[in-house]
Each structure stands twice: as C-alpha cells, then as structure tokens.
Amino acid sequence: MSDFNDFNNAQVAKLPKHLKQFIVAQHYEKYTPVDQAVWRYVMRQNYSYLKNVAYYPYIKGLQRAGLSIEHIPDLQTMNDNLGKIGWGAVTVDGFIPPAAFMEYQAYRVLVIAADIRQINHIEYTPAPDIIHESAGHAPIIADTDYNNYLSYFGSIGAKAMFSAKDFELYEAIRKLSILKEAVDTDEHEIAKAEKALSFISENMGEPSEMALLGRLHWWTVEYGLIGTLENPKIYGAGLLSSIGESASCMQKDVEKLWYNIATINYQYDITKTQPQLFVTETFQNLIDVLEQFADTMAFRKGGMESLMKAIACKNVATAVYSSGLQVSGIFTDIGISANDEPTFIKTTGASALAFNGKQLPNHGKDYHAEGFSSPVGRLKGAAKPLEDYTSSEFRALDIFPGTRVTLNFESGIKVEGRIKNITSENNKTILIAFTDCTVTENNGNILFRPEWGTYDMAVGEKIISVFNGAADKDAFEEITLISTAKTHKINYDDKTLQLHVYYDQVRKIRESGEGLAKLQPIFDELKTKHRTDWLCAMEILELVYHKKAYHHLEKEITVYLEIKAGREPEHKKLISDGLHVIKNPVSQLIEE
C-alpha cells in the first residue's frame, strides 16, 4: 500500500501487510452536519449518564484518547493521543474478519469503523460505527491493566482455530448489518438476509475456538461489568456506546453473574439487548480466565485433536513440529497411530515451510504449490528424536548429504532416498531433503514417488502446536479475506441537503455565539418542511435555553418536542433524554 498513512504512530507503522489491507481512509469531509449532531447528542447523553455508572473517569479517558464531545474524532488527533500510551487507531470498512480484528489488538491498534450510525439508529446500531469504536473502546485504553488484557486477548485470538462455518457466519452478519444501516434498503432484502443469518447460526455445529473466544470477548470487552454483583460499573464498549442499553442494563431484570470460565457457555445475539451480564472483580481476573481457556486451545495442545481442528477449518492453518518447523497450508489428511498420535500430516494446494514465523528460503507456496506431506514421529529403535541428533550421531548412521539411506519410523512409514541436504535451526534438525525418494506406509501404500522430484521431509517427533493462518502471513500473502460486500454510500436528495444546511447553521451559531436571530426562521422551516426531524429542533432549544433569550421560541420548541414525544413512541425517550441534558448541562459535569 503505497499511500499507507501510519499517522506518525509507532504501533500503526508496525502493522504487517496482511492487516494494512483492511485500512480505509477516514474521509472526514464526508461526515454531514447531521452526523456531527448525532455524535454530539450521543456523547452528551454518555457524559450525563456514564459519570455515575462507568468504571473509569469517562471524561478524562475521552480526553486522553483525543476525543471531544463536540465533533466526530479525527484519526490523526486520536493517534497523536493514543501514541502517548503505546496504542494507535485505524479506520476500516464495517466488520472485518475476527482473526484480523484480534491481530490488530495484539499490535495495540484500535480498529474503528469509519461510518457513523444513521439518526434512526441513534440509540443502538447493528453495524460497527465510529461512536461505538471510539467513544466505547478508546476512553478505557488508558487503563494499563485493561489495555494489557486487550492486547493479550488479541495475541491469543489471532491463533484461534475457526471452522468453515465461522467465515460463513461473519459474511452473513456483515451483509445484514450493512443492509440495516443503509438508508433505502428494501424490507424484503433485510428479511432475506435475516433468514440466511439465522439459518447459518442455527446450524453451526460444535463451536470452534474462535466462536468460544468470541463469547469471552463479547461478555468482557463489549458488555463487561466490573466491581460487585450489587453495584457493578460498566467497562464494556458495547454498553458505553449504547445510550439505550447503558441505562437498561443496570435494571434488576438483567441478571448479573460472576465472570469465570463457565461464561464460555453463554451464547449471545448481537441484534438484541442482553438477558444477563457478567461482573469481574478485577481486570486481572479477565487475564486469568483467558489463560485458562488458552490452555485448551490447539496452539498450546498440538497433537491429534488439534490437527482435526485444522482439517475442519478448511482454511490455511499452521502445524508446528517439535523441532520448530512450521508447516502452513490447508490440511486435508493425517495418519493416526494405535495410540492416537499423528504419524504423518498432509496439506493440499499452496503450502509453505517456516521457522519462528519466518518463511524458509525456497520453501514458499510457489515451490510447494501442490501441497506438502511428511511423517511425524521417531525412528524405529531410536534412543532420542531425530531432531536432536548431533552431526556426529548422523555421521555414525551414515546420514549426511550424498549418501543413500532408508529411514524406518516407529509408525511403519519408510523413507528411502539419497540425501540432498539437511537443514538445522537453533541446534535442531528441521528438514532433510531427498532425491530419488520413495515413501511408503507399512500397508504398502505409496506416499511419494521418485519421479515427483525432491522430497522434503519435515523432522519432528510430535506436532506441538496448531494455529489459524500461515506462520509467515506476509510471505504467504493472505490477502484474500477482504469481503466483497461494501458498506453503502449514501446519496442525499435536495430536501435532505437543505436539512443539512440548517444543522450546519445551528452549529455555527452555537460555536460563534452570534446570529441567534436566525434560529426562529430555521425552526419555522423545520416544523413545516422537515416534520420527521427532532434533533435540530433540540439543538436550537439548547441554545436559546442557555442564552436565556428568545423565551417565546424556547416555549414554542419545548411544546413542539413534547407533543412529538407523545405522538411518536420511537422518539419519546430520545426527546426526554435530550431535554434532561439541556437542563443538566454537560459543562457542569466536566467541571465536577
């Protein structure tokens, strides 16, 4: 990406190629005056309410992250501020794949959806948006214990195995969220997408590691509470950025449970308010629970069960031999011994070999374009694993370049051929290459023939780790996961554009303190030509109320909004909350 902007932020600059592919420009100029008013309304509500229920000093947290109540944040300002605490931020287009999202966290970079919710979704949006990502996640980043949890979660999550179904589910969620947030979507389209999503989610089968981790992420990072069951405080970004649910979640009918490893059994629905929430006493407890779960994962366990997860995922995964050799590709077959140990592994299609996350020279996916297969285990009668043999021990067995050898494995696999070269790393033998080579199983089944070319035999007694994705992602160029579904760009009609002008005029009057006389004619236009709008009228009321001027206009708008609240149930809470904040202004809260 030649035009990549790292915002002069060290964390963003460190991002690898396969993560940079998701970054989009923020295009600050595309935010409309209504978008800015939506941001301001939500933020003032948050200030007003969250000072009592947020775990951390919300206002100070916002300021430390470079956020303001008055306007949508600019990515450069956020990066200037987050950089001071070792974090960064980038904008992306809507939902990105879970594994990529996790990896960004591991790199200590916040992923922020560039779009902002429509006014008709002001309380809650099904799609990720800049309010949720920046006003929800960013303010708490300054807490060291919490940001350590977040980046640690990212590093574990980036290794989690997912199932082929998980990716289908991600695509279905992304599609539905885009349709719901678009202005002119046909209801039939939404219903069709909802049906497709519920079909996939009802037929997911056994949850994958990524699905289970997704639950832990949801009940902590998004919807977590901290403190005691009787008096918890909010730290989850989903709650902090939802002015509806941050209030309703504290009611008695939302059950509060202690957060522990059993939380993994609770599924969630992103389209509904939560029936229960989980409380942790400390952020350290979040790390402890994560650690407990990580111990069950394929990247720590290895072996048969982990290789089966790799086959089930039908996507690129990496198996690590006990020698340290990493084999990346789509796993399609494994041999199994009588005591359930793997005897050989096989990938199909483009594969690569790496060590310590770096691809081995001449062992990329072009060289291993047709796949890779190799035995796992000890040689028959050997006192120690083959990877631990010294060069003198190899010589004693006539194993060195140029000699013809037969290697018999405990599993019954036999490798016969002429040694071309032996590759070692960190005092371990990781690879032996053969020419004129035949590989057979003990039932006579041929695994490799001489005419197929050079046989690269991986060396290692066990498979000690299996994880999602390639070992060296940039060399493997996993630049394939970008969704074809893009968030919709809106074209506004003339009437809406005129409404934008009124919002803009009100903002300028508020910021300059001049031109108050223009407010009456603006309101007259709103009530005759823009009957569905309530927020611009609310902003005019705020101005005249605090200037203690134009009492007649103040009274007229108050009555207008109260009647509107009575007639339009969908606006009732928004209007009454807006009126409450006007009478209990934010400026007083900041000074507290």
Side-chain angles (χ1 to χ4, degrees), residues 322-543:
S322 44
S323 62
L325 181 73
Q326 298 167 314
V327 179
S328 300
I330 296 174
F331 286 83
T332 50
D333 196 11
I334 39 181
I336 306 170
S337 71
N339 58 347
D340 277 350
E341 292 294 336
T343 57
F344 78 88
I345 57 171
K346 181 178 191 306
T347 65
T348 301
S351 304
L353 305 182
F355 184 83
N356 212 6
K358 281 278 163 266
Q359 189 170 292
L360 296 178
N362 308 318
H363 284 286
K365 60 182 187 177
D366 295 337
Y367 178 68
H368 295 289
E370 303 298 316
F372 180 84
S373 78
S374 197
V376 183
R378 279 193 188 203
L379 295 182
K380 201 177 274 182
K384 62 179 180 180
L386 190 57
E387 67 248 46
D388 291 335
Y389 279 39
T390 61
S391 50
S392 56
E393 285 170 326
F394 273 136
R395 285 221 160 249
L397 294 170
D398 284 339
I399 299 175
F400 53 87
T403 59
R404 191 166 181 83
V405 295
T406 301
L407 301 180
N408 290 300
F409 283 83
E410 285 179 339
S411 61
I413 289 176
K414 183 159 73 170
V415 178
E416 293 176 276
R418 188 174 299 284
I419 295 177
K420 186 179 171 187
N421 56 52
I422 297 175
T423 308
S424 298
E425 289 282 353
N426 279 9
N427 300 322
K428 294 257 186 192
T429 300
I430 60 170
L431 203 58
I432 301 177
F434 294 86
T435 54
D436 189 24
C437 184
T438 307
V439 183
T440 48
E441 285 187 277
N442 56 358
N443 59 5
N445 181 30
I446 294 181
L447 297 174
F448 195 88
R449 296 177 186 276
E451 57 268 30
W452 294 355
T454 301
Y455 181 66
D456 294 288
M457 187 187 87
V459 177
E461 183 187 19
K462 293 186 167 80
I463 298 296
I464 56 166
S465 175
V466 178
F467 57 84
N468 167 51
D472 184 341
K473 288 190 174 69
D474 280 351
F476 205 85
E477 289 182 331
E478 279 193 342
I479 316 250
T480 52
L481 296 174
I482 290 198
S483 176
T484 49
K486 297 289 179 211
T487 53
H488 296 202
K489 297 297 169 252
I490 304 162
N491 293 314
Y492 298 102
D493 59 22
D494 291 344
K495 187 180 175 190
T496 308
L497 289 171
Q498 185 52 57
L499 181 61
H500 290 179
V501 170
Y502 297 141
Y503 271 89
D504 194 41
Q505 287 173 343
V506 172
R507 174 174 281 271
K508 283 176 177 151
I509 293 166
R510 183 176 62 247
E511 287 174 352
S512 68
E514 293 164 9
L516 288 162
K518 295 180 190 160
L519 295 173
Q520 179 75 57
I522 294 174
F523 177 63
D524 292 342
E525 288 286 307
L526 287 173
K527 68 179 184 187
T528 52
K529 295 181 184 163
H530 301 278
R531 304 281 303 169
T532 56
D533 182 79
W534 57 273
L535 182 54
C536 194
M538 181 78 68
E539 293 213 315
I540 296 172
L541 177 61
E542 179 196 352
L543 267 169

